[in-house]
Amino acid sequence: MPDQAALPAAAPHFTDIRGKRLAWWTSGKGSPSVVLETGLGLESAAWQDVQAAIEPHFRVFRYDRAGRGASDPARGPRDANAMIEDLAQLLQSARLPTPWLLVGHSFGGLLMRLFAHRFRAQTCGLVLVEAMHEGQFERFGPAFVEPTPDDSSALQSMRALWREGWRDAHTTPENIDFPASFRAVSAIDTLGDLPMAVIVAASFEHSPFFAAEQREALQRAWERMQEGFLALSSRAELIRAPQSEHFVQRDAPQVIVDAIGRVARAV
């Protein structure tokens, strides 16, 4: 696996989408085209190890959503529908060949679920990596450790988001309307026979954000949420990444690379 730190920083392309300049990168060749969608905690550059590993076989696309990385700020509250409309226009402007194999991490997984449903004809496969579940904040928010004077800024911001902040779009730099986004994905009943992989990692087993005696039960609850995504397709499989925490593209990128290959072969 290539060392991400050793990879040269590629210059982005920029495209204006509804008055916002969005940054994007492509590399490689082959079919299907793989679209990489990031979550909330890392920028799209975190996909570089995965991108470098699959570009000999696939055309690969990644981008920064409005309000992230090299892209322009987001304007006003935006839900998942608005975000995937931006992505659809961006893919068309970039002339990324169809079909598209979608890969989404965390919040990006929520977006790719909705994108696959809205653009099913152009989508040939889906890989969900620790995908955000519409019930996760209400289930896990109350379980965060109680505040102490020694809390890190990361813990403070995570607790604030997961407990109540998710209800307010201004909590995130992207001005995400989570309630509207959750309503949108909750309306998806099926993706038919779309080849699909669901990757679940050990997000809670060692997390300092939760009391040690709660972690095992929280991990089981998280795994049940991830397993629920399998009902979206008649051709879905669960892939476990017990050696990884939430950011699988950083901790165990080969798991994602292998999952992309499995889904591509199933197309």
Side-chain angles (χ1 to χ4, degrees), residues 159-168 171:
R159 183 195 293 115
L161 174 66
W162 281 65
R163 283 193 169 177
E164 288 295 335
W166 63 274
R167 302 179 190 275
D168 181 359
T171 302

Side-chain angles (χ1 to χ4, degrees), residues 12-25 61 63-64 66 70-72 86-95:
H13 303 277
F14 289 96
T15 301
D16 188 275
I17 302 294
R18 287 198 288 270
K20 318 177 287 294
R21 197 175 69 148
L22 301 183
W24 55 277
W25 294 257
F61 176 96
Y63 77 113
D64 291 336
S71 291
D72 285 347
D86 279 357
L87 175 58
Q89 288 196 23
L90 193 58
L91 294 177
Q92 291 171 5
S93 297
R95 298 181 179 176

Side-chain angles (χ1 to χ4, degrees), residues 19-259:
K20 318 177 287 294
R21 197 175 69 148
L22 301 183
W24 55 277
W25 294 257
T26 58
S27 63
K29 58 184 179 180
S31 183
S33 297
V34 177
V35 179
L36 303 172
E37 179 71 76
T38 192
L40 300 179
L42 294 176
E43 302 300 344
S44 70
W47 288 110
Q48 285 181 349
D49 280 352
V50 173
Q51 183 174 358
I54 65 174
E55 62 187 10
H57 312 287
F58 306 103
R59 186 69 174 166
V60 189
F61 176 96
R62 66 176 173 87
Y63 77 113
D64 291 336
R65 294 189 300 272
R68 299 202 67 88
S71 291
D72 285 347
R75 299 174 182 173
R78 306 175 73 242
D79 69 358
N81 275 310
M83 292 179 177
I84 67 168
E85 287 167 6
D86 279 357
L87 175 58
Q89 288 196 23
L90 193 58
L91 294 177
Q92 291 171 5
S93 297
R95 298 181 179 176
L96 190 73
T98 58
W100 300 323
L101 193 162
L102 311 174
V103 182
H105 171 255
S106 195
F107 178 62
L110 181 147
L111 294 176
M112 292 297 92
R113 273 194 286 155
L114 189 60
F115 192 99
H117 184 254
R118 287 271 303 277
F119 300 95
R120 180 64 181 84
Q122 296 95 330
T123 300
C124 66
L126 176 63
V127 178
L128 299 179
V129 184
E130 285 277 287
M132 179 176 284
H133 189 282
E134 51 268 33
Q136 71 178 51
F137 290 131
E138 291 181 329
R139 171 64 180 87
F140 299 111
F144 269 74
V145 292
E146 293 300 316
T148 73
D150 298 325
D151 286 348
S152 66
S153 59
L155 173 54
Q156 292 177 39
S157 60
M158 283 284 288
R159 183 195 293 115
L161 174 66
W162 281 65
R163 283 193 169 177
E164 288 295 335
W166 63 274
R167 302 179 190 275
D168 181 359
H170 297 97
T171 302
T172 61
E174 298 180 66
N175 290 320
I176 300 170
D177 185 338
F178 283 113
S181 299
F182 293 159
R183 288 192 296 271
V185 293
S186 294
I188 301 172
D189 55 354
T190 182
L191 296 173
D193 62 351
L194 182 71
M196 180 175 161
V198 178
I199 298 174
V200 58
S203 293
F204 293 88
E205 287 187 0
H206 308 290
S207 174
F209 296 153
F210 304 94
E213 63 273 14
Q214 290 185 290
R215 292 173 191 166
E216 183 176 352
L218 293 173
Q219 179 64 30
R220 300 292 86 77
W222 177 247
E223 291 178 4
R224 287 193 295 272
M225 283 186 173
Q226 296 298 303
E227 290 165 359
F229 295 139
L230 298 175
L232 288 171
S233 171
S234 61
R235 301 174 68 191
E237 66 171 323
L238 185 73
I239 298 173
R240 299 186 184 277
Q243 72 275 37
S244 175
E245 295 186 14
H246 183 59
F247 295 102
V248 185
Q249 67 269 55
R250 179 189 63 195
D251 298 341
Q254 189 63 44
V255 173
I256 302 176
V257 171
D258 292 344

